[in-house]
Amino acid sequence: LERARDSLKSVLAELDEIRDAVWKMGTGDGKSVDATLALLARRMLIVWKTLRDMKEPCGAALEAAGLLASASGDAAATADAAATIMDAGLFKEALVLFFDVLRRGDPYASDSLNARFWNRAGICSGYLKRPKTAAGFYEKATALSPDDSIYRANLAHTLTSIGEHKAALPHIRRAI
């Protein structure tokens, strides 16, 4: 009971921060709208994670955080939202956000970070029963990070599942 009470206090504090940020955005206190949207997205994720830990359904709050992050143009906030949404099993929504991050092409993102996003996009596509799309995403991940055995194993598994056994063999060898 004490833990639930502390969690609820934390949620209420985050909701106060969200309310204040929205109010400031409306009054034009000098903060950029993009920075405010990124802040809102991060706060929404904190609220969602806290509610999730309390075993409360809150898919709508999570989707809202993702939309806010994407609208902000902040690649890091969008990627955080996408990963959290993916972890919640909302693969279609996560895929849209991962693709949004990759489409923008953050110039500060390393190849290994972009490879991770392509890999996660592949995982989402796999869960959505789109193995050919997943294979394409895994291929992009392995091109950016050729020594990563997990990306190669994902690609090999997906190629095998669509009957491309010969194409899977080199990736199986390199994954091992």
Side-chain angles (χ1 to χ4, degrees), residues 2 4-14:
E2 189 65 34
R5 189 175 297 134
D6 290 342
S7 293
L8 189 55
K9 285 180 186 177
S10 172
V11 167
L12 292 175
E14 293 299 333

Side-chain angles (χ1 to χ4, degrees), residues 85-109:
I85 289 169
M86 181 180 150
D87 291 344
L90 301 171
F91 300 109
K92 184 177 180 182
E93 294 81 357
L95 181 59
V96 168
L97 293 176
F98 281 127
F99 198 68
D100 186 42
V101 170
L102 291 161
R103 179 185 52 81
R104 289 182 196 174
D106 184 354
Y108 300 107

